[in-house]
Structure formats: structure tokens, C-alpha cells
Amino acid sequence: MEPGVIRKLDEVVVNRIAAGEIIQRPANALKEMIENSLDAKATSIQITVKAGGLRSLQIQDNGTGIRREDLEIVCERFTTSKLKSFDDLSSISTYGFRGEALASISHVAHLTIVTKTKHEKCAYKACYEDGKLKEAIKPIAGNQGTQITVDDLFYNVPMRKQALKTPSDEFQRISDVVSKYAVHNPHACFILKKFGESAAIRTQPKATVVQNISAIYGAAIGKALIPIELKDDILQLTVHGYLTNVSFSLKKGISLTFINHRAVECGALKKAIDAICSVYLPKGTAPFVYLSLELNPQNVDVNVHPTKHEVHFLHEEQIVEKVKLLVENTLIGGNAARSYTQALLPGAPQPLESSKSNESLLGGDEKPRLDYKFVRTSHSEQKLDKYFNISGAGNSQPKEDAHEETVLEPKLTQASPARKKKATKRETRLTSVHNLRQRIESEMDENLRKIFRELTYVGTIDRDQVLIQYDTQLYLVFTQRIMLELFYQLLVYNFGNFERITFSEPLELKRLAELALADPESGYAGEEDGPVDELAARVVEILVEHADLLREYYALSIRSDGYLESLPKLLDNYIPSVVFLPIYIFRLATEVEWTEEEECFRTFSRETALFFSRIALTKPETEYRWELEHVIFPTLRNQLFPPKEFARNGCLLQLTSLPELYRVFERC
């Protein structure tokens, strides 16, 4: 058999092979583009993804941009602004340096660049294919910075495209890349979202590493972090980072490693840290670790892998040993303050819990479910009230009867059931209301949404605190904060469709305003703020002026002579505490922004939600307990879109879980 003839490959084939080494999947392309944005001193980076990045992957930054005269060659191989000679590789301090990223992308996708520098009068748009311009560069309107759009990735390499995983898996890989760089670069604002959806990752500009870890990986991890610091002049090594303490662990560990600000994998370092952590953490669990190592650039070879996810450096064994001892000393220091029950905020993967909370009693591998995996699912089971001497506890009397026994001054009467059947819901077309709804949905936390949808009501502690159970976790809920958001959302989503809670006798607004001014909460400082009579009259004047709007959209009826006839009914079987009615009326006049439509609806809804969420000390104990269990929390399950803020402001705290309690008993 004759030997094969050696031929020189066609340049197009060569470039596509090279592109395949660098751009293995959408996440690799995004990593290269993020690094270019950071090299361009960007402080805002927004990524938009379609179909896991295969259909479209767009990154927009506010960096220095690309000069008009450089656009012709920017997608050719080995074109870069980072190097001038080979010797520069020994001291490279930027992310990109080989000039292959954009070239490689252009050989396997349709690439479009829109860019503007500080000194140019307009932006320029350029489209590329196989490293070359497809058409003339066009001047267009645009902001300073660069927007790169990658469409139809691997359209000409079908085998590579078929080998990739599902769009959701690819999006998760993209999310991992963005998460790492967002944590390591807290000075920049990162936003990652799927096309047409709300942001999956959003960090704030000029944040801290800890704040970004909490925002991305969960507040529970953020609260458990211990700082790591080391400086070794002999090895020319500086280490800083964070590690979760020994009271916190994850089923699957999370490791973020940066060497000279580049996200890399270092097998020896990871193995050493895992070995140390296995001594101090429960079996089968791992920590969250973020490490940033800074070495002398002359000691690091960053050019050993096409995707630059591996690096080689001098004195590797000594450096790994140094970091290993540092981690061990940090864990030993944290062990002294070890706690056996944790107050964890939701929003991150739980330490020992499987994400499959709806598994049957037999797991996926048909093994019997352990005792601490059993959860209560029936509302008829025993509640906390049984163990306290609470009058009327457990008595699920009809709420209408409870109100007939309660004397409220002034007396409020709900709309009759007959009227409720006749009401037909009308949909608003006001853009301002739709904007408020979209804002609620964009700020929703999916993890918290799942908790509220599947919660089990355990019991009422007092007017401000309730215990709930989700799966095997026990949470403490601060009711007024939760109710405040619930009533606000009810006001926004039921806009223009409220029934009335009417007063048995209309109330004089001026008298209510005078009562409010006597309340320290009003902030009235005495005659220096003006006479009470004049201020009360001004309150009446403002509310009467907007009476038509309040009646039309909110069923809050005010007569032209200054008398209040009704309030909106937000929930069946729930009447607000009239103790706070004077201050509510006063705040409607002083705190609502009446001059701008969207702000008017938002501030009115916030003030009304505050009024409805407050439980007066005069309200009978059995009444507010009944309302919380049978009215408020069933509504929370079905209608609340919990905002991400709930994971940070302490209104929902995890007290403990069955696995945590079992771990305590095992140590005893």
C-alpha cells in the first residue's frame, strides 16, 4: 500500500480547526468576550442569550471601544493590542493576548460588532465571516463601548453543534462563567439574561466580593464566609479569598480559582483543599471556596492551553502547600465558633438537601428514604398552637362569625357575596400599571417562590412572627414585611377591580387628619410646622381633589364635603385595623406622588399596603391568628411573587432543618 500524500490544508480548514480548539461551546466564546470587555476597562457588561447561546449570544459593554481604523483587521488571526514582541508574554497582565478569540468566533458563527470610542462622533457597525469583513463598515448611532453579537454558532460545523448539550445546559455553563467573573470583578456591573426574560444574574456596580457572592450563590453562603489572606515575599505570592466556615457545607462544592485574575483550573490546588476540608466537614459534603492568587507574571506560563483555562507556574508544590496550610488554619479558627443550628437565608442550594424535594419515599436508586427526609404535608396535623395555652387555638371558625363577635369602632362592613358574583373583572390598558407589574415579576426570586408555593403553616408565635415549614426546613417569617409586599401586589394586579369595605357611618376626613397630627408617627413638630387646623384642611383638600381617581380605580370613596365612605377590599374575610386609619389618611395626602401617573399608583399602593399590613395591639389574639393562618398565608401560596430582597432583608430566616438536627444528635 502506497503512503499517503502530505498536502497543505486549505486556509479555511486550518482556521476552522483552530477555531474549534478555542471555541468549544458558547461558554468559551463568552469567556473570551468578557475578558476583552474587562481589558477595555468596562464597568458595565450585559449578556443576552438565545437558545443557550447557539442561536444568539450578545455582550455589550461601556469600555474604551475599538478604533474605526482597526475594525478591518480585528477578526484576523493573531491581531492584538496586548503584545508587540514575544518577550511581552513573560510579563502579560491582560486577559487576551493571542488575538485569536474574535477570529475564531468569526470562523464558526456570524459575527457583528458595533463600537464607539470616546473621541469618535458616532459608532460603527461591522459584520464578519471567516475573519474578513462581509460588507463595508457603516456609521450608526451608539453609545461608547462595544457590542458583539454572535449568531448561529457552529452553523458550519454541524458535528460540533450536535455534540453540545441542551440549551438549558449550555445556559448553565454560561451562567457559571458570568458568575465567576462577576465575583472576581465586583467593580463592574454584570447582567445575564435570556432573550425576552428577566435577568438571571444581576450584580451592582462598585459592590464587594462578598456582596456578589451573596447575590449570585445565595445569602446563606455569604453569611458563612471567612476571609483568607496571605503574602509571601519569598515565593512572590499574594493570596486573598473566602471560604465557608465549618458550620456550613454543600452537597456539591463550589470552587472559584483565579491566578493573576484569570479564571483557571488547578487540579493540584483543588485536590489539596478538598483533602483538608474533608477532615473538618461532614462526609460527602464540600465548602464554597473563592481563591485569588497573584504571582510574579514571569513565573506563570498562561499560553499552555488554547482556551487558557489551565496555567503552569514555578514553585507549584511549595505554593500549593502554602495555600493548603492557609486553608487549614482558617478552618481551625472557624471551628472555635462552630454553631450547630444555623439561621440561613433562602436563595442558595441548601447544605444537605437534594433539589428533588418532591421525590417519593423511595429515592431514585430505590433505597428507603431516611427518617430525616420525611416531611409533613398535611395541614390537619398538629400545629404549634397545641403546645401553648392559646384561647381558641385550632378553632377554624368561619371568619364572618368572628367579625360579628368583634366590635370595631368605626364599624366596617364588607361587600355582600351577591355583589361579588355580579362583579366582572376589567383589564387595564394603562402602561404605568403594566410597568409596575413587570417590575414585580422581574424582581421575583424563583427559589423563594417555590418555598411560598409549597409551605406548610406550622403556627403563629405573635403578631409579628410565624413559623412555616418547607420540605425539611423550618423558617421564621416576619409577617408584616411579607404582608406589606402581598397587599402591594394585590393592589397592582387588581387595579380597577376592587369591591368596597364601607363604613356604617361616613367619617370626617378633617377629624381623622387632626388625630393623625396628634400621633408622633406623623412627624408633626408643633406650631412651627403650621396650625393643626390649616394642615388638616389641606389634607382634606388634596384628597377631595383626587376623589374621582380614588373612587374609580381603588373603590376608596370620598364625598365632596370631605367625608370618607369606603375603603378597597383587598382580600375576602380580611378587614384592616382602623386604629391606623388616621395616619393612613394623613400619609395619603403627604406621601403619595399625585403629579406623575406611575409614581402616583406606586406610592398610593405602597401606603395602602402599609395600612392593611399593620396588626393593631387592640385586635383580638384569636382573630389575627385566624386571619394569618386561613386568609393571609393561603393567599401567599397562590399569589405572591416574592422579591429577591426577601433573601437579604431578614424577613424569612431558616432556623434549622431535620438533617441539621440529626447532625447535632450524631455529635452528642
Side-chain angles (χ1 to χ4, degrees), residues 513 516-539 586 590-591:
L517 289 167
D519 189 331
E521 188 177 337
S522 68
Y524 178 62
E527 289 298 324
E528 60 190 70
D529 288 342
V532 170
D533 188 65
E534 291 182 9
L535 293 175
R538 180 57 182 155
V539 168
F586 179 78
T590 58
E591 302 299 326

Side-chain angles (χ1 to χ4, degrees), residues 571-589:
L571 282 177
D572 289 334
N573 298 323
Y574 182 85
I575 291 181
S577 300
V578 293
V579 171
F580 302 107
L581 185 60
I583 199 68
Y584 168 59
I585 293 299
F586 179 78
R587 289 180 64 87
L588 284 186

Side-chain angles (χ1 to χ4, degrees), residues 202-256:
R202 182 189 296 272
T203 63
Q204 300 301 318
K206 299 181 181 178
T208 64
V209 170
V210 173
Q211 287 172 339
N212 282 359
I213 291 174
S214 299
I216 296 170
Y217 295 99
I221 291 178
K223 290 187 66 176
L225 293 175
I226 308 172
I228 298 174
E229 299 289 342
L230 171 68
K231 187 174 179 62
D232 190 309
D233 294 331
I234 296 176
L235 292 173
Q236 295 180 292
L237 167 69
T238 301
V239 180
H240 69 272
Y242 291 91
L243 173 74
T244 48
N245 60 42
V246 289
S247 295
F248 184 92
S249 58
L250 299 164
K251 187 106 178 178
K252 185 177 180 181
I254 300 173
S255 179
L256 283 63

